[in-house]
Amino acid sequence: MSPMGVSAGVFSFLSSVLNESTDVIEKTLDMSVNSQNMALLRAAVNPNPDLAKGGGDITIVGDVALLSQVGPTGTIADIEETKQQSDKISLYIVREGDTLSQIATMFGVSVNTIMWANGTERASLIKPGETLIILPVSGIKHIVKKGETLAGIVKKYKGDMTEVLDYNGLSAGSKLAVGDEVVIPDGEIVAPPVTSRVSSRPSNTYGGPSYAGYYMRPINGGTKTQDIHGYNGIDIGAPAGTPILAAASGTVIINKDWGWNGGYGSYVVIKHDNGTQTLYAHNSRNVVGVGQRVVQGQVIAYVGSTGRSTGNHLHFEIRGARNPF
């Protein structure tokens, strides 16, 4: 083919492509004129576009946001069992539709444990938005043998009858049957009996990391009157009104300034930057509030004898680490 023929062919091809492109543009313009008839993109209008992950409510467990994703319908009713095997105190914000029995099942404690720690007289009294304190149970679970009485069991483990009745939902005249299980809060094994076993949450928590130098002694002076007991706690005897100091810097997460509170009486719990908690109990007066940031050595309360106490002293616990004192 001659050069002129080649040029003519190329020109013809380019003209064809240009004509087709013009047709496409014109058709597109015609469609844009009728764009009101086209389906437009729309935002999701259902209130929860990701139903399988529950709603936006947050349950606070161990001071972390845990349950924004809770189950197929966003309720705790369909959780198999999210039992917290931790020695740390947990906070739970009650949601619409919650029952105390569901909450107790989730944490692996009894209904009485929750009522007991929050001064609630009836399970039906909880209401949405209320913050519940969940104290993990420390104590002994005893299986009743033939001939045993409640009084004998409580005495055997150095328990408190009022606490045992409250925790187990028993009355003073309750009769025990062989095979019944009785939990003795804060119980102690003197001579390990054959038919008894320690609860899954041991009464003494010696384990955990050691943070040497992290905690200071929470009282200046005083005398240690009881070694490790309960949840990694010690008792320091001191005159009423002796200042109680924050063992380390942190944020106050619990301030209970009245009531029995599971035997702690008036007490304070501080969450520290290393993830541990310290608890200061039997206080005569607390001087800090929930959410307040405190520094090591700051006065947070004063020594007293509230709750289950036989004299003025501080019950001091470290949860999540070894107690250096």
Side-chain angles (χ1 to χ4, degrees):
M1 184 179 291
S2 67
M4 290 186 64
V6 171
S7 297
V10 171
F11 179 80
S12 177
F13 173 76
L14 293 175
S15 297
S16 175
V17 171
L18 181 60
N19 289 335
E20 289 180 3
S21 300
T22 303
D23 289 340
V24 171
I25 293 172
E26 289 176 351
K27 289 177 181 178
T28 303
L29 290 174
D30 287 341
M31 290 176 65
S32 66
V33 172
N34 296 316
S35 62
Q36 66 268 26
N37 297 323
M38 297 174 61
L40 301 178
L41 293 176
R42 299 174 62 193
V45 294
N46 55 305
N48 185 0
D50 193 1
L51 185 61
K53 292 187 177 180
D57 291 334
I58 294 176
T59 297
I60 305 299
V61 177
D63 311 313
V64 296
L66 178 70
L67 289 178
S68 57
Q69 301 180 26
V70 292
T73 59
T75 68
I76 67 171
D78 50 18
I79 300 175
E80 288 184 6
E81 274 188 277
T82 313
K83 294 184 179 180
Q84 306 301 309
Q85 299 297 330
S86 169
D87 65 345
K88 293 182 183 177
I89 295 171
S90 299
L91 302 178
Y92 180 84
I93 300 177
V94 179
R95 304 188 305 168
E96 193 70 43
D98 281 353
T99 67
L100 210 53
S101 61
Q102 289 174 334
I103 299 170
T105 298
M106 179 172 27
F107 285 92
V109 300
S110 74
V111 169
N112 280 328
T113 296
I114 300 177
M115 295 173 63
W116 189 30
N118 292 277
T120 303
E121 296 180 358
R122 296 195 305 275
S124 60
L125 292 180
I126 65 169
K127 54 186 181 296
E130 178 182 359
T131 299
L132 297 177
I133 296 170
I134 313 294
L135 294 175
V137 177
S138 166
I140 305 300
K141 182 182 289 184
H142 179 84
I143 301 176
V144 179
K145 296 186 300 181
K146 183 178 180 180
E148 289 186 319
T149 64
L150 184 60
I153 294 171
V154 173
K155 182 178 179 180
K156 184 176 188 176
Y157 296 108
K158 297 183 178 181
D160 180 271
M161 179 61 77
T162 301
E163 293 182 6
V164 172
L165 293 175
D166 287 344
Y167 181 82
N168 294 278
L170 302 173
S171 61
S174 295
K175 300 293 183 181
L176 300 179
V178 174
D180 284 351
E181 290 186 347
V182 178
V183 175
I184 300 88
D186 247 355
E188 300 175 15
I189 296 180
V190 180
V194 177
T195 57
S196 298
R197 60 188 177 86
V198 180
S199 167
S200 59
R201 292 183 176 88
S203 59
N204 291 323
T205 305
Y206 297 98
S210 177
Y211 295 106
Y214 190 85
Y215 310 98
M216 66 173 283
R217 198 167 185 272
I219 285 182
N220 289 323
T223 303
K224 186 168 71 172
T225 56
Q226 189 171 356
D227 214 330
I228 296 293
H229 64 286
Y231 268 111
N232 205 29
I234 63 167
D235 289 347
I236 303 175
T242 300
I244 299 172
L245 315 175
S249 299
T251 302
V252 177
I253 61 171
I254 296 173
N255 169 32
K256 285 285 190 177
D257 55 7
W258 62 274
W260 178 253
N261 298 319
Y264 285 129
S266 295
Y267 73 104
V268 170
V269 178
I270 299 174
K271 177 187 175 184
H272 303 289
D273 298 335
N274 64 354
T276 63
Q277 299 173 348
T278 51
L279 180 148
Y280 313 76
H282 306 312
N283 312 334
S284 61
R285 183 164 63 97
N286 301 337
V287 293
V288 290
V290 172
Q292 181 177 339
R293 181 75 183 177
V294 297
V295 298
Q296 186 177 55
Q298 180 176 336
V299 176
I300 60 172
Y302 295 94
V303 169
S305 186
T306 56
R308 184 189 179 190
S309 172
T310 55
N312 293 305
H313 72 282
L314 167 67
H315 175 78
F316 173 70
E317 298 179 0
I318 297 180
R319 293 171 176 255
R322 296 177 184 273
N323 192 327
F325 305 111

